[in-house]
Amino acid sequence: MEKHNFSIEFFPPKTPEGAEKLRATRVKLSELNPKYFSVTFGAGGTTQQGTLDTVREILAAGEQAAPHLSCVGGSRTSIRAVLADFKAAGVRRIVALRGDLPSGYGASGEFRYANELVEFIRAETGDHFHIEVAAYPEVHPQARSPQDDLQAFARKVQAGADAAITQYFYNADAYFQFVEQTQKMGINVPIVAGIMPITNYTQLMRFSDMCGAEIPRWVRLKLSSFGDDSASIKAFGLDVVTGLCERLLEGGAPGLHFYSMNQAAPTTALWQRLVK
Ligand SMILES: Cc1cc2nc3c(=O)[nH]c(=O)nc-3n(C[C@H](O)[C@H](O)[C@H](O)COP(=O)(O)OP(=O)(O)OC[C@H]3O[C@@H](n4cnc5c(N)ncnc54)[C@H](O)[C@@H]3O)c2cc1C
């Protein structure tokens, strides 16, 4: 069925119940035949074991898995050890990030930006890993300017990234503009669009504030007008995000990466609308 390059993101569960739930989610989502499942990595290595355990389980089930690896707070020695664990587990694909340390966490470690991590992975492990990096069509919230952010993205590709996954967004034009600008700079790696299904208004507003994703006014007003009516929020969210995905694919997006939030239903509903 693999018409498009679709991948699905999980976060490592914190409890045995969470692990059980994620197992069931993964089994359901496997039926969609995604290219791979990625598993996030808490900044400062806070989920290191959970990420590795989750990735091992996915690989043991015969699926492709890509751990994320964030470098903030890490040292060359600690990142080298994580890379060795990934390699030993049979990992061939990594999503390489800077990460964000929680406030009060202290020293930021030996890596300042994700391009330094990509460079380190290549120097240590050659071409063993396919490396994905993050891209921000609506501009990373800490960037000094959109142009600076674009340069930062270019440095990650120059350091050896093979492809990129974007932060989620609901403005397709921001994505197309970003891709066009990178192409003008001679960057030709695939830039897969990150997709956040809409299922919960409060949670969406909180996440979007943190990561700098803009919720278009009309979408925000409609979602808030539904109040506690979760069925209407989900139905409207599904329509909006399906429309976004269709536009992206028709406009040439090389793939979609679904932020599943460890739930099967929202990603499945979207996917079934897209892959008819
Ligand atoms: C697909 C995806 C997956 C993610 N997964 C995780 C995860 O698993 N764990 C996690 O903790 N976080 C994750 N994040 C969040 C990410 O860690 C944060 O967005 C973080 O703030 C930036 O990471 P980055 O790798 O994009 O950093 P970078 O590319 O290093 O950029 C960070 C900021 O620094 C600026 N910058 C870069 N280089 C320079 C320079 N030389 N001088 C000045 N400024 C510079 C950039 O413009 C940007 O504002 C993910 C994000 C995405 C899009």
Side-chain angles (χ1 to χ4, degrees), residues 9-10 38-44 67-72 95-101 112-116 133-136 139-145 148-153 155-156 164-168 194 211 257 259:
E9 182 169 310
F10 294 141
S38 84
V39 183
T40 62
F41 188 96
H68 296 204
L69 173 56
S70 66
C71 60
V72 69
V95 185
L97 305 137
R98 185 194 68 176
D100 293 306
L101 278 183
R112 285 170 313 158
Y113 300 106
N115 65 301
E116 296 169 8
V133 290
Y136 300 87
V139 186
H140 185 267
Q142 289 157 13
R144 281 180 298 215
S145 70
D148 256 31
D149 210 29
L150 210 53
Q151 295 294 348
F153 178 68
R155 278 195 294 276
K156 294 192 275 195
I165 305 170
T166 74
Q167 183 56 277
Y168 72 86
C211 70
H257 179 81
Y259 295 106

Side-chain angles (χ1 to χ4, degrees), residues 185-215:
M185 293 166 81
I187 299 170
N188 286 307
V189 299
I191 301 175
V192 166
I195 301 297
M196 179 68 88
I198 297 177
T199 56
N200 177 314
Y201 176 64
T202 321
Q203 193 186 53
L204 182 72
M205 293 309 290
R206 189 161 43 85
F207 282 168
S208 305
D209 264 358
M210 282 188 305
C211 70
E214 189 194 52
I215 314 296

